[in-house]
Amino acid sequence: MHVRCTQCVLRRQPAFIQKSDEEVALIDSLKSEHMTVEAGVEFIHPEQADSELYTLFSGWAFRYKELSDGRRQILSFSLPGDLLGLQGTMFGKSVYGAIALTDIQLCVIPRRRLARLFERVPEVAYEVTWLGARSEAIVDENLLNVGRRGAAERIVALICSLYKRAEPLGLVVDGSFELPLTQQHIADALGLSLVHTNKTLARLRADGLFSISGGRLVVRNLRGLSRFAQHFEEEFVPRPII
Amino acid sequence: MHVRCTQCVLRRQPAFIQKSDEEVALIDSLKSEHMTVEAGVEFIHPEQADSELYTLFSGWAFRYKELSDGRRQILSFSLPGDLLGLQGTMFGKSVYGAIALTDIQLCVIPRRRLARLFERVPEVAYEVTWLGARSEAIVDENLLNVGRRGAAERIVALICSLYKRAEPLGLVVDGSFELPLTQQHIADALGLSLVHTNKTLARLRADGLFSISGGRLVVRNLRGLSRFAQHFEEEFVPRPII
DNA sequence: CGGCCGATTGAGTCGGATCAAGGTAGGTGG
DNA sequence: CCACCTACCTTGATCCGACTCAATCGGCCG
């Protein structure tokens, strides 16, 4: 079940900076192996020591933190090509949890190989840092969203941002893509209650800018959505993949 | 006015991992020079191309984003030793702004030296990545705070987190330290309105767990504050400084 | 069929926003 | 020395968006 990086179809997507065969072979040598996680399973635990560094190869996941009384905040969603577990790798223990939204596959870069990577392959080390910075940029955007937008705007901004990330991955077909989120996930990501999320979604759907059915999100008017939510970030930039 | 890293008193603080003289000399050679910015001045602009990488040497600053209609969200506060501008350095343009809260001094690591740094000094490159991950961890925490805590808890959690960061920098004397924030800053950081921030602060002050006067924050009962806000993060870990 | 999970809807409440006035202290210029 | 300005803090009244509680519904699975 181990896909060699040299055979990897994901990295051919327009989302990613294309690498030479030698570079890809080199990255391949850094990986230990693929790992499969079923939907709903937590694969990085809060407080977990010594988590590995992962590249999400297929499927969706999310990172979250929670308070001791159970209130949960989703920090960010992860799509294919995203790096996961960098904090855990750096600090020696993770401060957030990560759960698979769909069945997923992870490419594993063993924690102990990372220092070696920095020594021997500076270009790839640079890309790790790049992806770390991008990951922060996504959280920055989420914080702006939760801190300063109203409920409807928040939902729309989330949809815009996911659409714009899914698109260069080739996940969007005819303006629609699989959205493996329950309304509870959306609420947890946006700092809203489930009930209010549901009612706001219903109102937005009635406006016809988008629709969700059967786990599929259909975006009818991305421009309109972006304007409504004042969401003008994340113009597409090809990014590294490791 | 250029302080050599070899003479730097900041890096002797217990907050930081101590380096050998050779390492420090090496970092010194990476810096171009010190730069001074007055309180209130924006030194990283949203959309700015080619920002440099900075280490905040003295004073406080904050990073922010805003919506086109003016609503502003403070993403994180920066204290001495923190890295600033990594996103701008990686992506070629910054997506947030940064403003000095006090007069500050910045050590400048020229953007164009960064790739060279990764090639020649992998240990320091690793530390850049480490600090980038830490920066994300701080935003993660802020997102949890804004998304899931009530107003009073938010303020208390902010105070806890700033206290715990200021302490190992030697800024805390007798349980109190300079807090160069207006209530507007606090509101912008916590996703609250100015008025509500003011009223909530008044109520909290009356409870006597802390007090603010003359730009100085006095914490009387850190344990009590932490419990109230369910803030149990950020136990102290020595960190790199560049 | 029963149980479970997710989506939905209504009623009532409340936290935090907005609007509108002050108040205070430091800073400037006549 | 005083009048004025500006930046920040404070307080009261009112409103509304979002929360909680509670019930129902539909689809899926054993």
Side-chain angles (χ1 to χ4, degrees):
Chain A
M1 193 62 239
H2 186 160
V3 179
R4 312 303 312 227
C5 294
T6 45
Q7 313 294 318
C8 170
V9 288
L10 176 59
R11 61 188 328 125
R12 309 240 173 81
Q13 292 296 326
F16 304 107
I17 297 169
Q18 299 303 314
K19 288 179 158 33
S20 70
D21 291 347
E22 299 82 52
E23 290 171 310
V24 173
L26 199 145
I27 286 176
D28 186 63
S29 73
L30 294 170
K31 305 274 181 76
S32 62
E33 62 185 313
H34 264 251
M35 173 177 153
T36 300
V37 178
E38 278 177 27
V41 173
E42 180 171 272
F43 59 97
I44 296 178
H45 310 286
E47 305 290 311
Q48 173 188 355
D50 292 325
S51 82
E52 313 281 15
L53 186 60
Y54 305 105
T55 292
L56 182 55
F57 174 70
S58 67
W60 290 48
F62 66 90
R63 300 190 308 119
Y64 76 95
K65 293 181 89 154
E66 57 190 10
L67 299 177
S68 38
D69 66 5
R71 283 175 282 179
R72 177 171 84 166
Q73 178 66 39
I74 291 182
L75 303 169
S76 61
F77 295 106
S78 302
L79 272 65
D82 290 354
L83 216 51
L84 265 161
L86 187 58
Q87 289 183 33
T89 313
M90 291 283 130
F91 309 151
K93 85 167 193 195
S94 183
V95 283
Y96 57 78
I99 296 180
L101 280 164
T102 63
D103 290 350
I104 63 175
Q105 284 179 275
L106 297 165
C107 312
V108 183
I109 301 163
R111 171 181 169 53
R112 290 160 46 224
R113 255 178 237 183
L114 198 67
R116 189 142 51 91
L117 186 159
F118 270 75
E119 277 163 34
R120 307 221 186 133
V121 205
E123 312 81 44
V124 177
Y126 190 89
E127 295 180 332
V128 170
T129 310
W130 200 104
L131 289 170
R134 172 171 177 275
S135 172
E136 181 185 352
I138 289 173
V139 185
D140 283 352
E141 183 62 32
N142 289 346
L143 178 52
L144 172 65
N145 199 16
V146 172
R148 285 296 169 219
R149 281 191 259 243
E153 293 172 302
R154 274 184 228 184
I155 291 176
V156 171
L158 175 65
I159 287 174
C160 284
S161 120
L162 292 178
Y163 185 97
K164 289 177 188 171
R165 288 171 65 188
E167 228 250 302
L169 293 172
L171 298 175
V172 175
V173 181
D174 283 338
S176 85
F177 61 100
E178 291 293 329
L179 187 71
L181 306 181
T182 66
Q183 295 185 352
Q184 185 68 65
H185 290 125
I186 297 176
D188 285 350
L190 300 180
L192 297 169
S193 73
L194 172 61
V195 174
H196 195 59
T197 301
N198 177 285
K199 289 173 179 170
T200 308
L201 265 173
R203 226 171 305 129
L204 285 171
R205 230 172 316 164
D207 291 347
L209 288 171
F210 68 91
S211 65
I212 304 183
S213 67
R216 222 175 155 78
L217 170 71
V218 185
V219 171
R220 295 197 205 299
N221 182 351
L222 182 61
R223 201 65 62 82
L225 289 175
S226 296
R227 203 171 332 109
F228 175 77
Q230 298 183 43
H231 182 95
F232 306 114
E233 301 282 332
E234 299 176 44
E235 61 216 48
F236 169 66
V237 178
R239 67 175 189 275
I241 178 172
I242 296 174
Chain B
M1 192 62 242
H2 186 160
V3 178
R4 313 302 312 228
C5 293
T6 45
Q7 313 295 317
C8 172
V9 290
L10 176 61
R11 63 188 328 127
R12 308 240 174 82
Q13 292 296 326
F16 305 107
I17 297 170
Q18 300 303 314
K19 287 180 159 34
S20 69
D21 292 347
E22 299 81 56
E23 290 172 310
V24 174
L26 200 146
I27 287 176
D28 186 63
S29 74
L30 294 169
K31 304 276 181 74
S32 61
E33 62 185 313
H34 264 250
M35 173 176 153
T36 300
V37 178
E38 278 176 27
V41 172
E42 181 171 272
F43 59 96
I44 296 177
H45 309 285
E47 304 290 313
Q48 171 189 355
D50 291 326
S51 81
E52 313 282 14
L53 186 60
Y54 305 106
T55 292
L56 182 54
F57 174 70
S58 66
W60 289 49
F62 66 89
R63 301 190 307 118
Y64 76 96
K65 293 183 88 155
E66 57 190 9
L67 300 177
S68 40
D69 66 5
R71 283 175 282 179
R72 177 171 84 164
Q73 178 66 38
I74 291 182
L75 303 169
S76 62
F77 295 105
S78 302
L79 272 65
D82 290 354
L83 216 50
L84 266 160
L86 187 58
Q87 288 183 32
T89 312
M90 290 285 128
F91 309 152
K93 87 166 190 195
S94 184
V95 282
Y96 57 79
I99 296 181
L101 280 164
T102 62
D103 292 350
I104 63 174
Q105 283 179 277
L106 297 164
C107 312
V108 184
I109 301 163
R111 175 181 167 54
R112 290 162 43 227
R113 256 178 235 181
L114 199 67
R116 190 144 49 90
L117 185 158
F118 269 75
E119 277 163 32
R120 306 222 187 134
V121 204
E123 311 81 42
V124 177
Y126 190 88
E127 294 180 332
V128 170
T129 310
W130 200 104
L131 289 170
R134 174 171 177 274
S135 171
E136 181 186 350
I138 289 173
V139 185
D140 283 351
E141 182 62 33
N142 290 345
L143 178 54
L144 171 65
N145 199 17
V146 172
R148 285 296 168 218
R149 279 192 260 245
E153 293 172 301
R154 274 184 227 185
I155 291 176
V156 171
L158 175 64
I159 286 174
C160 285
S161 120
L162 292 178
Y163 185 97
K164 289 177 187 171
R165 288 171 65 191
E167 228 250 301
L169 293 172
L171 298 174
V172 175
V173 181
D174 282 338
S176 84
F177 61 99
E178 292 292 329
L179 187 72
L181 306 180
T182 66
Q183 295 187 353
Q184 185 69 65
H185 290 126
I186 297 175
D188 286 350
L190 299 180
L192 298 169
S193 72
L194 172 60
V195 174
H196 195 62
T197 301
N198 177 286
K199 289 174 179 171
T200 308
L201 265 173
R203 228 172 304 130
L204 286 171
R205 231 172 314 164
D207 291 346
L209 288 170
F210 67 91
S211 65
I212 304 183
S213 67
R216 224 174 152 80
L217 170 70
V218 185
V219 172
R220 296 196 202 300
N221 183 349
L222 182 61
R223 201 65 63 80
L225 290 174
S226 297
R227 202 169 335 109
F228 175 77
Q230 299 184 42
H231 180 95
F232 307 112
E233 302 283 331
E234 298 175 46
E235 62 215 46
F236 169 66
V237 178
R239 65 176 190 272
I241 179 173
I242 295 174

